[in-house]
Amino acid sequence: MTDLLYSETEDDLRATVRALLADRAGHQVLLDRIETDDPYVPGLWKSLAGDIGAAGLLVPEKLGGQGASHREAAVVLEELGRAVTPLPYLTSAVVATETLLGLAGEGGGPAVELLAELASGRKVAVLAVPLSTAPDAEPFPPGAPEAGPSPSAASDAGPLPASTVAGVADAVAADVLLVPRADGLYAVPAEEATVEPQTPLDLTRPLARVTTRPGTGTRLADGDAARTAVRRGLLAGAGLLASEQLGLAERCLEETVRYTRERHQFNRPVGSFQALKHRMAQLWLDVVGARAAARAAADALATGSPDAPLTVAVAQAYCSKVAVRAAEECVQLHGGIGMTWEHPAHLALKRAKSDQIALGSTGRHQDAIAALMDLPAPA
Amino acid sequence: MTDAEELRSRVRQLLAEHPPATTDRTDFLKARFDAGLAWVHYPVGLGGLDAPRALQAVVDAELAAAGAPDNDPRRIGIGLGMAAPTLLAYGSEEVKSRFLRPLWVGEEVWCQLFSEPGAGSDLAALGTRAVRDGEDWVIDGQKVWTSSAHIARWAILIARTDPDAPKHRGITYFVCDMTDPGVEVRPLRQITGEAEFNEVFLTGVRIPDAHRLGEVGDGWRVAQTTLMNERVSIGGARIPREGGMIGKLATTWRERPELRTHELHRRLLDLWVDAEVARLTGERLRQQLVAGQPGPEGSAMKLGFARLNQAISGLEVELLGDEGLLYGEWEMRRPELVDFTGRDAGYRYLRSKGNSIEGGTSEVLLNIVAERVLGLPPEPRNDKDVAWKDLAR
Ligand SMILES: Cc1cc2nc3c(=O)[nH]c(=O)nc-3n(C[C@H](O)[C@H](O)[C@H](O)COP(=O)(O)OP(=O)(O)OC[C@H]3O[C@@H](n4cnc5c(N)ncnc54)[C@H](O)[C@@H]3O)c2cc1C
């Protein structure tokens, strides 16, 4: 049976991550960072990934990880969502890691080696696809199998043109890019690729245009195996993104309640006006639902349930909506202060809105549900 | 401590001694009650075994698998959901052993005499009087919207015993005999054409003091037990995916391709997601209850179901197009069952309007969530320390 509650271990992990983020990545720190070229808080990744071991939660111990599951990783993401922290956790510790896990199979090989490095936090890898890519999308370019020169001759121009993918999240932090090509999935060292930063709506999740030349990198898997693995990575990413959205929504609601209790107008706390109380109560209901949906997705992924694609689509279709609404209400109910750069509400709003598009739009996930549940569109 | 294995063996013994195939339904239910398998978390002798609440699921599953009859909770929902927990918490030993067995078996239906023409959301403003006369109380007043009063044998009743006290403090809680000659029940026809609820006139009704629940003047606190259980009982049931109204709508969608439009498709998928999330939220609530951490999600369930049922049934009427313009029948009946998912879409659409009114309106529940869950400041009030008799009415 689906376990929708939190275990004691999960609560402990939450407390540890929350304390770390409160200590090191408060909103003033984030505001200062986003004014620079590099939004990541120095040293924070090392603390979370290495010291706490959060990067290896999905990786079995024998492959160098913590041997935990998606349920624990989801709790980390709730906290990262609450604090709107810029870290390549979703991209590296979830999507890339899960993709590699899909390739790990029995023996060793390059995927397994890379996995151990990701699990320890020593390296960051990202899948070189647009952040908007849905789990059921086809990120592999069509065309002839790669006919470029051997990796040793990578600097020579091959017969195929270099390929560019825009909107790749956290590529600027990556040591390794996982690049889908027509004939399989390649691991390309960042220094062999061109990574040009783009200006993102969400300042806490950098996007970049990534260009790689044929023939670079190491092939991790060919066509079908690569497709299955990438799909698995994106599904885990979409499922756990729901937990990031849950954390963000919950924090926005808490801050709004706190503020409207203190702020007085018309000789009363504005939070005593029923028009506002009902909006916040409604939001609480939505957050309660988001928690059930996000937990269901994390549990389905953790148990490898055949229901996972449906549960993930449900969580995405629901939690995206709730996170955006919570952030929008947070801005509105803070009045003028909510519109300022100094107040953290905009960080949450920008994250929530971009999360709505990330890993498949609401409509895309609904279409997945329609297909899985036999609720077809009109002919 | 009773564990799952012991419960299973008790179930097997019950089934062996009273094979469902050859046993009368009521006799089987009585035997089940006496075996402590009715509500296992209730005390021994009162249909339970003092076992953890979670283990009820084990019993229910075993009995369902054996094809045993259940005590159809739709007909006796008020008794099971509201009267029973209040009786258990506040009744004397005699009261508990007199009432709980026939209540659970369904031999005696209960109703709830709370709402009055002048006291709905502001229930504590009620004016029905109870005056002490020897060993009895004499009740005079009028109640309204009383579901099932026409089939009820007993009622839970709140009445004013001290008009000089502020409104919350002068109320007392009773068990009322609906066959008393002073009780008159008149059907109130409702939006669906039927009369599920009634007006109830109480004239010189005599209630023995032994049928009082809780102290004199403490009825508001007792009523909180009833109302909290009312809200939780709505979200407590375990339903499968596409259980409830969304299943009806999805089935119509699958079977009638000619009705599909793109606009309806989007709305269907929106509601499908909302319904699935509501189901998961209910599941999470149950898991919290089992783990002994009852959360405020109970109010969330009632609020969520009201909105969903209304939206889903509304969409189904639209989807049906020309057929949606028709209605089953308008004949005035006094049903014994409250049927949320049965009947046609038009009936479901109309009946679901009551989901956001009965058992506390959605507006009032949102106030409760805002104040008790989120801790937002209360509205300014002017009725707290004023004697009930001095309040403007
Ligand atoms: C189908 C059905 C079955 C019922 N069965 C029973 C039963 O068996 N026994 C029983 O005792 N009662 C029963 N009720 C009564 C039900 O509990 C009341 O109708 C309900 O509590 C609302 O009270 P009211 O009808 O007086 O509306 P009012 O309280 O007059 O409310 C009118 C409107 O004002 C709003 N409102 C009131 N106060 C506030 C506030 N503070 N803030 C914002 N808005 C507010 C309400 O939400 C509503 O929209 C039943 C009702 C229905 C519809």
Side-chain angles (χ1 to χ4, degrees):
Chain A
M1 191 188 65
T2 317
D3 177 1
L4 300 171
L5 306 180
Y6 297 101
S7 71
E8 250 174 71
T9 325
E10 287 163 21
D11 287 336
D12 292 346
L13 176 63
R14 175 195 303 290
T16 310
V17 175
R18 188 175 294 189
L20 172 73
L21 299 182
D23 189 35
R24 303 266 297 280
H27 94 261
Q28 193 54 53
V29 176
L30 301 192
L31 283 174
D32 292 345
R33 295 301 315 176
I34 59 174
E35 300 280 15
T36 71
D37 288 342
D38 174 11
Y40 305 106
V41 180
L44 189 60
W45 178 250
K46 191 175 167 297
S47 302
L48 181 81
D51 303 348
I52 296 180
L57 288 173
L58 297 180
V59 181
E61 281 175 63
K62 65 175 192 310
L63 296 180
Q66 306 292 317
S69 79
H70 302 76
R71 296 176 52 89
E72 289 81 4
V75 167
V76 173
L77 276 163
E78 276 184 41
E79 292 307 310
L80 295 175
R82 275 183 73 88
V84 203
T85 319
L87 280 180
Y89 192 83
L90 183 70
T91 44
S92 184
V94 179
V95 177
T97 296
E98 188 80 26
T99 302
L100 294 172
L101 281 168
L103 299 174
E106 291 306 296
V112 169
E113 278 163 38
L114 186 50
L115 205 45
E117 293 185 299
L118 297 193
S120 67
R122 283 194 307 273
K123 276 194 180 166
V124 167
V126 306
L127 185 64
V129 300
L131 178 59
S132 61
T133 310
D136 59 358
E138 171 55 76
F140 288 82
E146 183 135 320
S150 70
S152 57
S155 50
D156 303 342
L160 289 172
S163 61
T164 298
V165 182
V168 181
D170 293 323
V172 293
D175 304 295
V176 179
L177 297 155
L178 304 183
V179 182
R181 293 185 181 145
D183 65 338
L185 187 68
Y186 286 75
V188 178
E191 58 275 10
E192 292 178 27
T194 313
V195 176
E196 305 160 83
Q198 298 175 285
T199 306
L201 170 68
D202 173 8
L203 293 157
T204 61
R205 185 167 274 151
L207 300 178
R209 193 177 290 111
V210 173
T211 305
T212 53
R213 284 184 311 280
T216 51
T218 315
R219 188 154 79 167
L220 299 173
D222 59 18
D224 284 346
R227 244 178 213 88
T228 311
V230 166
R231 200 187 151 113
R232 173 173 163 175
L234 292 171
L235 186 70
L240 297 194
L241 176 62
S243 289
E244 175 177 305
Q245 291 164 325
L246 163 66
L248 183 146
E250 191 181 40
R251 177 71 172 279
C252 286
L253 173 61
E254 276 172 27
E255 283 303 308
T256 309
V257 167
R258 194 180 57 71
Y259 180 75
T260 56
R261 281 165 54 131
E262 286 163 9
R263 171 75 177 165
H264 279 63
Q265 293 289 295
F266 303 97
N267 201 32
R268 279 165 68 173
V270 292
S272 71
F273 289 102
Q274 198 181 55
L276 267 59
K277 282 159 83 168
H278 282 193
R279 280 165 69 166
M280 288 184 264
Q282 188 56 54
L283 205 49
W284 176 80
L285 295 177
D286 294 345
V287 171
V288 166
R291 173 163 293 109
R295 280 275 93 186
D299 195 70
L301 289 165
T303 56
S305 159
D307 212 25
L310 181 72
T311 315
V312 166
V314 167
Q316 267 306 300
Y318 193 83
C319 296
S320 294
K321 196 168 69 175
V322 174
V324 170
R325 189 176 310 138
E328 288 178 349
E329 289 287 76
C330 183
V331 170
Q332 175 65 22
L333 300 191
H334 275 77
I337 250 184
M339 282 299 289
T340 63
W341 190 265
E342 279 68 36
H343 194 277
H346 70 95
L347 296 177
L349 179 65
K350 291 162 187 171
R351 172 69 70 87
K353 199 63 194 169
S354 106
D355 276 359
Q356 194 177 38
I357 300 164
L359 293 156
S361 65
T362 307
R364 179 95 199 203
H365 288 290
Q366 286 187 343
D367 288 344
I369 294 168
L372 290 165
M373 287 305 301
D374 183 28
L375 295 167
Chain B
M1 248 295 267
T2 314
D3 63 18
E5 234 0 88
E6 189 192 331
L7 282 177
R8 280 197 195 93
S9 87
R10 280 171 184 266
V11 170
R12 277 194 296 275
Q13 196 185 338
L14 171 74
L15 289 167
E17 287 168 12
H18 308 270
T22 53
T23 310
D24 169 71
R25 178 176 181 275
T26 308
D27 289 342
F28 182 86
L29 292 174
K30 284 179 179 164
R32 178 175 166 188
F33 187 95
D34 296 337
L37 299 170
W39 31 38
V40 296
H41 56 292
Y42 269 46
V44 176
L46 296 175
L49 294 166
D50 278 317
R53 196 187 186 118
L55 294 179
Q56 186 65 42
V58 175
V59 173
D60 291 346
E62 294 277 312
L63 286 171
D70 72 8
N71 61 336
D72 191 351
R74 288 179 303 164
R75 186 160 163 273
I76 57 171
I78 293 175
L80 286 176
M82 286 99 99
T86 316
L87 291 165
L88 183 68
Y90 290 97
S92 63
E93 289 314 310
E94 297 78 67
V95 160
K96 284 187 265 196
S97 41
R98 160 65 187 84
F99 290 120
L100 288 174
R101 187 173 185 257
L103 181 160
W104 190 87
V105 170
E107 284 183 308
E108 291 180 348
V109 174
W110 285 66
C111 69
Q112 183 183 21
L113 293 173
F114 279 21
S115 302
E116 298 184 7
S121 300
D122 186 11
L123 184 57
L126 59 88
T128 291
R129 287 296 315 274
V131 177
R132 183 80 190 226
D133 179 25
E135 275 308 289
D136 289 346
W137 293 85
V138 180
I139 317 291
D140 286 281
Q142 184 195 340
K143 297 286 176 177
V144 73
W145 323 129
T146 317
S147 305
S148 306
H150 54 292
I151 54 167
R153 174 67 180 80
W154 297 98
I156 41 179
L157 162 77
I158 45 181
R160 185 157 308 279
T161 41
D162 183 359
D164 296 321
K167 65 181 181 183
H168 292 92
R169 277 179 249 148
I171 296 171
T172 303
Y173 199 116
F174 301 97
V175 170
C176 174
D177 184 343
M178 293 296 285
T179 63
D180 193 288
V183 178
E184 190 199 339
V185 177
R186 294 188 201 154
L188 263 173
R189 196 171 186 200
Q190 63 201 45
I191 200 165
T192 55
E194 310 185 321
E196 218 177 79
F197 53 36
N198 306 268
E199 289 181 293
V200 179
F201 297 86
L202 305 161
T203 315
V205 175
R206 296 191 80 85
I207 297 183
D209 189 53
H211 284 181
R212 168 167 53 79
L213 299 183
E215 299 304 313
V216 175
D218 204 26
W220 185 250
R221 195 159 67 98
V222 183
Q224 292 310 308
T225 302
T226 313
L227 297 176
M228 301 236 296
N229 278 288
E230 178 165 15
R231 276 148 211 169
V232 173
S233 79
I234 294 176
R238 186 165 193 187
I239 51 167
R241 182 175 286 155
E242 287 196 2
M245 284 199 190
I246 193 68
K248 300 269 180 188
L249 177 59
T251 304
T252 308
W253 185 270
R254 288 182 193 117
E255 290 173 354
R256 309 275 306 269
E258 75 282 7
L259 299 175
R260 296 175 195 155
T261 71
H262 287 284
E263 186 253 355
L264 293 173
H265 190 227
R266 278 299 140 202
R267 286 165 62 198
L268 167 76
L269 293 172
D270 259 339
L271 289 175
W272 198 93
V273 169
D274 287 354
E276 174 67 2
V277 172
R279 182 184 77 82
L280 291 168
T281 308
E283 183 68 27
R284 190 158 195 277
L285 171 67
R286 279 188 45 265
Q287 291 181 8
Q288 277 180 314
L289 285 172
V290 163
Q293 22 169 315
E297 270 92 346
S299 325
M301 294 313 300
K302 180 175 181 314
L303 279 160
F305 273 124
R307 200 184 55 77
L308 257 180
N309 282 351
Q310 292 170 356
I312 293 170
S313 57
L315 182 61
E316 199 180 348
V317 171
E318 277 179 78
L319 173 63
L320 289 170
D322 287 345
E323 278 167 59
L325 295 172
L326 306 175
Y327 190 75
E329 54 164 335
W330 290 114
E331 192 196 337
M332 150 83 174
R333 291 184 304 168
R334 304 181 77 184
E336 294 215 345
L337 281 185
V338 181
D339 198 358
F340 288 127
T341 48
R343 311 272 299 272
D344 51 278
Y347 170 87
R348 286 199 289 278
Y349 172 69
L350 295 173
R351 180 59 186 84
S352 67
K353 296 294 163 231
N355 294 163
S356 52
I357 301 172
E358 61 199 334
T361 66
S362 290
E363 289 76 17
V364 166
L365 288 181
L366 287 170
N367 286 347
I368 291 175
V369 168
E371 291 174 18
R372 303 205 198 138
V373 179
L374 298 179
L376 286 163
E379 303 272 315
R381 301 187 63 150
N382 57 12
D383 62 346
K384 274 247 150 142
D385 300 311
V386 184
W388 173 80
K389 65 174 174 29
D390 297 329
L391 288 171
R393 253 186 301 280

